[in-house]
């Protein structure tokens, strides 16, 4: 039987790779910021290095992230439209103002942190914490509000993005802490070495906790979608058995969440800094793959 193609509909990808990278970098600095502020608010002296390491990378990563967002606009000079056309029902509008408030409050927090002013660093830590959560949480809402995209349109999406942000931030800080310890431990007294090891252990345990939470979000989301509408079922099949199955199931969740979490959970493997480094790298790769699959997998099922 001969088939004649009369017209082929081209489905344009409205969200590009630049946005996937932007989501990842925002998650990194938001995660670092939340960890840094949390360490400051806990107030233990041994957590100070964690707070400072996180703060340094917040500055570096935040300075990079707008490049990808503005480049994706094609006409970046029009970004100011978002300031004069505020829509209270749009997460993009709220995100614009959160993105402006976040560096201000976080910058003041970092200033007092490095000045050694405990009281004011805690005060501005409390103030900047909601903006640190919001600066990445809003990206989850942006996708979650897209009713036509089944993979995105889920109540779990904002929390899922926040959990993955914490994973990427902690994994990044753990990598830095491990490298720092490797090249400085010989010159440090035993007491300082033990403090560094406590920090590494703390970061790894927090990382494992959020990876377990992340797997729970994935399982809950896919299970509900599997028994939901026909479109939702097709979307689950796409990430379970289709084009994105290897990336999402194996790279992101098995090797990016489950394997690193198991390395950390068991004390014997957690003592190996090499295995911890591998776990942190796998977690970082897994989070980026998650961003990639969410962005492109969500657009893969055609709307017509």
């Amino acid at each position: 039987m001969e088939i004649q193609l009369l017209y082929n509909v081209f489905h344009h990808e409205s969200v590009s790779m630049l946005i996937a990278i932007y989501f990842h970098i925002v998650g990194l600095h938001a995660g670092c910021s939340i960890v840094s502020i949390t360490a400051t608010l806990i107030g233990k002296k041994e957590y100070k290095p964690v707070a400072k390491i996180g703060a340094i990378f917040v500055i570096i990563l935040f300075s990079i992230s707008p490049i990808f967002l503005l480049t994706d606009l094609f006409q970046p000079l029009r970004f100011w439209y978002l300031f004069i056309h505020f829509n209270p029902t749009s997460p993009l509008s709220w995100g614009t103002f959160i993105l402006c408030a976040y560096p201000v409050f976080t910058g003041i927090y970092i200033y007092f942190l490095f000045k050694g002013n405990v009281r004011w660093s805690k005060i501005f830590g409390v103030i900047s914490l909601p903006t640190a959560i919001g600066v990445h949480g809003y990206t989850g809402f942006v996708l979650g509000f897209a009713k036509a995209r089944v993979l995105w349109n889920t109540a779990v999406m904002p929390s899922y993005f926040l959990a993955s942000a914490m994973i990427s931030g902690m994994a990044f800080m753990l990598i830095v802490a491990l490298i720092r310890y490797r090249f400085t431990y010989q010159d440090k007294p035993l007491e300082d070495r033990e403090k560094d090891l406590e920090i590494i252990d703390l970061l790894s345990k927090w990382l494992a906790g959020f990876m377990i939470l992340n797997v729970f979000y994935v399982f809950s989301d896919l299970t509900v979608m599997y028994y939901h509408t026909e479109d939702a079922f097709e979307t689950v099949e796409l990430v379970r058995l289709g084009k994105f199955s290897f990336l999402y199931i194996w790279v992101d969740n098995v090797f990016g969440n489950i394997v690193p979490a198991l390395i950390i959970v068991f004390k014997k493997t957690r003592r190996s800094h090499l295995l911890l480094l591998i776990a942190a790298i796998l977690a970082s790769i897994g989070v980026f793959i998650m961003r990639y699959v969410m962005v492109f997998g969500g657009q893969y099922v055609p709307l017509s």
Side-chain angles (χ1 to χ4, degrees):
M1 179 180 175
E2 186 179 347
I3 299 174
Q4 185 177 6
L5 183 65
L6 298 177
Y7 186 73
N8 188 23
V9 178
F10 174 71
H11 296 280
H12 176 68
E13 290 177 343
S14 55
V15 184
S16 71
M17 187 65 177
L18 289 170
I19 295 300
I21 296 170
Y22 168 73
F23 283 166
H24 186 64
I25 296 176
V26 169
L28 272 173
H29 70 66
C32 288
S33 180
I34 294 167
V35 173
S36 173
I37 293 167
T38 304
T40 299
L41 294 178
I42 290 172
K44 289 188 177 181
K45 191 177 179 181
E46 57 267 30
Y47 291 174
K48 264 190 176 182
V50 175
K52 289 185 176 180
I53 291 170
I56 290 167
F57 284 103
V58 167
I59 297 168
I60 297 169
L61 293 165
F62 184 80
S63 63
I64 297 170
S65 59
I67 297 170
F68 298 95
L69 182 61
L70 293 175
T71 304
D72 185 70
L73 291 176
F74 294 104
Q75 296 190 41
L77 294 179
R78 292 189 177 182
F79 76 92
W80 56 272
Y81 279 30
L82 291 166
F83 292 99
I84 61 174
H85 298 290
F86 179 72
N87 181 359
T89 63
S90 169
L92 272 176
S93 287
W94 286 104
T96 302
F97 288 94
I98 292 171
L99 280 169
C100 293
Y102 170 70
V104 174
F105 293 128
T106 305
I108 297 171
Y109 155 74
I110 292 171
Y111 170 78
F112 284 118
L113 177 67
F114 280 93
K115 288 287 285 184
N117 192 320
V118 177
R119 181 170 178 267
W120 283 104
S121 63
K122 285 186 176 182
I123 289 171
F124 277 96
V126 171
I127 295 170
S128 62
L129 186 59
T131 63
I133 294 170
V135 81
H136 194 57
Y138 96 91
T139 59
F141 280 104
V142 168
L143 296 186
F145 278 24
K147 293 180 181 179
R149 303 291 184 181
V150 179
L151 189 61
W152 298 349
N153 186 220
T154 166
V156 174
M157 193 57 65
S159 301
Y160 185 30
F161 263 56
L162 275 175
S164 62
M166 295 302 296
I167 291 169
S168 61
M170 287 179 188
F172 188 70
M173 289 177 66
L174 181 58
I175 291 168
V176 172
L178 287 166
I179 294 171
R180 175 174 169 264
Y181 180 81
R182 175 66 182 83
F183 288 101
T184 61
Y185 80 97
Q186 291 179 338
D187 302 324
K188 290 184 175 182
L190 182 61
E191 186 180 349
D192 289 345
R193 288 188 205 175
E194 288 177 352
K195 287 179 181 178
D196 286 348
L197 290 173
E198 284 178 13
I199 289 167
I200 290 169
D201 193 60
L202 175 73
L203 285 172
S204 62
K205 287 177 180 176
W206 284 3
L207 177 60
F210 277 98
M211 284 190 288
I212 293 167
L213 178 63
N214 207 48
V215 172
F216 172 74
Y217 281 144
V218 172
F219 175 77
S220 302
D221 197 29
L222 294 184
T223 303
V224 171
M225 282 200 293
Y226 195 80
Y227 294 100
H228 200 218
T229 62
E230 186 178 342
D231 287 343
F233 175 80
E234 289 179 4
T235 302
V236 174
E237 290 299 287
L238 175 69
V239 296
R240 191 175 72 91
L241 298 170
K243 180 180 177 180
F244 297 96
S245 61
F246 175 75
L247 288 175
Y248 193 63
I249 300 299
W250 290 99
V251 180
D252 176 16
N253 286 290
V254 175
F255 291 106
N257 281 301
I258 296 172
V259 171
L262 289 174
I263 290 172
I264 295 168
V265 165
F266 293 104
K267 197 171 184 179
K268 190 174 181 180
T269 50
R270 191 169 69 244
R271 285 176 179 170
S272 169
H273 284 189
L274 177 60
L275 288 177
L276 275 183
L277 182 63
I278 292 170
I281 292 170
L282 287 174
S284 299
I285 294 170
V287 172
F288 179 76
I289 293 299
M290 171 265 185
R291 306 280 193 246
Y292 175 84
V293 172
M294 284 297 112
V295 168
F296 291 100
Q299 300 175 90
Y300 189 76
V301 178
L303 299 178
S304 59

